[in-house]
Amino acid sequence: MASLREEATIMPDVLEAIMLVCFGLSWPLNAYKNYRARTAAGASWQFIALITFGYFAGIAAKLVAGSITWVLIVYLLNLVALAANWIVYFRNVKLDKQKRNKLEAAWVDQLKKEQAE
């Protein structure tokens, strides 16, 4: 059985991991929702960047403190899920641009038809 001292050193890592898992579960869901939406409207690159910076700061804190434990793996898994959000975001920005270009071309064609009449 673990001593009180051992439990006191394990518990912060367990609580941090629980927080990271709960927070991190939102990223795959968000990536899937945005993938299906096929638009970057409503998505914020600034928000994703801020969260990314936060994860890197958390990892840096672990490294600087010399507290390299299994919790670092949870940080890295969250970064992988966040990377999927970046990929979907840039894909959707590209799709939005293609849609906008298609609409603009259709509008120009319509104007040319009206002028020809």
Side-chain angles (χ1 to χ4, degrees), residues 4 46 48-49 52-53 62 74 82 90 94 113:
L4 209 48
Q46 295 93 338
I48 302 171
T52 303
F53 179 76
K62 289 286 190 195
V74 183
L82 202 50
F90 287 115
K94 182 179 175 184
K113 285 180 187 176

Side-chain angles (χ1 to χ4, degrees), residues 12 14 20 24 37 40 49 56 101-102 117:
V14 170
L20 287 168
F56 279 117
N101 289 343
K102 189 182 258 187
E117 293 175 354

Side-chain angles (χ1 to χ4, degrees), residues 85-100:
N85 278 269
W86 279 111
I87 291 166
V88 170
Y89 174 78
F90 287 115
R91 168 212 177 235
N92 286 349
V93 166
K94 182 179 175 184
L95 291 174
D96 287 345
K97 186 175 182 179
Q98 289 172 350
K99 288 177 203 170
R100 193 170 41 254

Side-chain angles (χ1 to χ4, degrees), residues 26-92:
S26 64
W27 297 123
L29 299 173
N30 189 60
Y32 179 72
K33 177 188 73 86
N34 287 334
Y35 180 82
R36 296 215 6 141
R38 299 180 61 83
T39 181
S44 167
W45 69 265
Q46 295 93 338
F47 177 73
I48 302 171
L50 189 61
I51 297 300
T52 303
F53 179 76
Y55 279 124
F56 279 117
I59 291 169
K62 289 286 190 195
L63 297 174
V64 168
S67 179
I68 301 171
T69 64
W70 55 273
V71 176
L72 196 57
I73 293 169
V74 183
Y75 274 103
L76 296 175
L77 289 173
N78 281 341
L79 279 176
V80 169
L82 202 50
N85 278 269
W86 279 111
I87 291 166
V88 170
Y89 174 78
F90 287 115
R91 168 212 177 235
N92 286 349

Side-chain angles (χ1 to χ4, degrees), residues 6-18 62 71:
E6 288 172 326
E7 286 181 20
T9 59
I10 293 171
M11 191 51 96
D13 284 342
V14 170
L15 293 173
E16 184 177 16
I18 290 170
K62 289 286 190 195
V71 176

